[in-house]
Amino acid sequence: MTLTPPYRIRPLDGQAEHDALGARITAWRRERRLPSASIRPILDALRDEREMAVLVDTDNDAFVGCLQLHRAPLPTPPWTTAEDAQPTLVLSCAATAPGAGYRLGWLLTTWARHYAALCGHTRVACAVPLSSDHDTTAQRLLSHLVDGCGWDHLRTADTATGTAALLTAAACRTEGLDAFLATKVPVQPAERETVS
């Protein structure tokens, strides 16, 4: 007998799903008492129907998390030319439902690293916006991602929108991931630039 994993990750399907996820994420942010400005990039991505991988509960098909996938080269600055030359799957607009399940951030990170390896990327990367040195919400998130989800804090850098902590993690396949997660996101090979 094959057990159904508790979660499924898949692409969003059409504007109605993008709108529904936007409403859910807005509610999640309110429940967590996060600043309203923190949701703007996610709502912009959903409005434009950018590539989003959504995590759903297999029992009720409810949204419990999401990630935006960027397959284009890293924006420079703040990334260096050498960093930009590595095949990297960039993640942004991550959100999880409060109280929806145990370690959803770790599960999304593990899936992203596995998926990046399947696509031929060497790593995953993301940036955590920091509004100030005393931004306790961002600092808590940064600590959670590094200590609880296995990200490496590369450095803090100035970006077009302010200061951000740049995080990376090696792409790697994860044995046994299918016990937690069914994947429905199509594998798209990483585009590699040729050096002349």
Side-chain angles (χ1 to χ4, degrees):
M1 178 173 117
T2 304
L3 294 176
T4 302
Y7 301 104
R8 181 174 62 255
I9 194 159
R10 63 174 176 79
L12 282 178
D13 186 18
Q15 188 61 50
E17 281 202 346
H18 282 78
D19 293 343
L21 180 60
R24 294 301 315 140
I25 292 171
T26 301
W28 299 343
R29 297 287 181 167
R30 278 194 202 115
E31 189 175 333
R32 285 197 168 115
R33 296 188 175 137
L34 294 173
S36 58
S38 69
I39 195 171
R40 189 166 297 122
I42 301 173
L43 294 179
D44 289 345
L46 291 168
R47 191 174 307 110
D48 296 342
E49 292 191 55
R50 296 182 200 149
E51 184 180 7
M52 299 288 285
V54 64
L55 186 65
V56 296
D57 185 305
T58 53
D59 288 336
N60 57 18
D61 211 33
F63 296 136
V64 294
C66 68
L67 285 174
Q68 183 181 359
L69 307 178
H70 303 267
R71 298 172 191 278
L74 293 164
T76 54
W79 301 94
T80 66
T81 304
E83 291 164 349
D84 187 40
Q86 298 178 45
T88 303
L89 181 65
V90 181
L91 311 173
S92 68
C93 300
T96 58
Y102 179 68
R103 298 196 57 178
L104 293 182
W106 170 84
L107 184 59
L108 284 170
T109 297
T110 301
W111 172 80
R113 294 175 71 180
H114 179 81
Y115 180 73
L118 292 176
C119 292
H121 297 281
T122 59
R123 67 182 182 163
V124 292
C126 70
V128 175
L130 305 171
S131 59
S132 72
D133 290 338
H134 306 292
D135 183 352
T136 57
T137 302
Q139 292 300 330
R140 274 194 339 260
L141 174 60
L142 188 57
S143 293
H144 170 70
L145 291 172
V146 171
D147 298 335
C149 298
W151 288 87
D152 295 317
H153 183 182
L154 187 61
R155 69 178 169 281
T156 300
D158 291 327
T159 70
T161 57
T163 304
L166 305 181
L167 305 178
T168 62
C172 60
R173 294 181 188 213
T174 303
E175 292 294 323
L177 184 60
D178 54 352
F180 301 98
L181 182 66
T183 301
K184 303 293 181 189
V185 179
V187 172
Q188 297 180 21
E191 293 183 21
R192 297 180 187 266
E193 292 185 20
T194 56
V195 180
S196 25

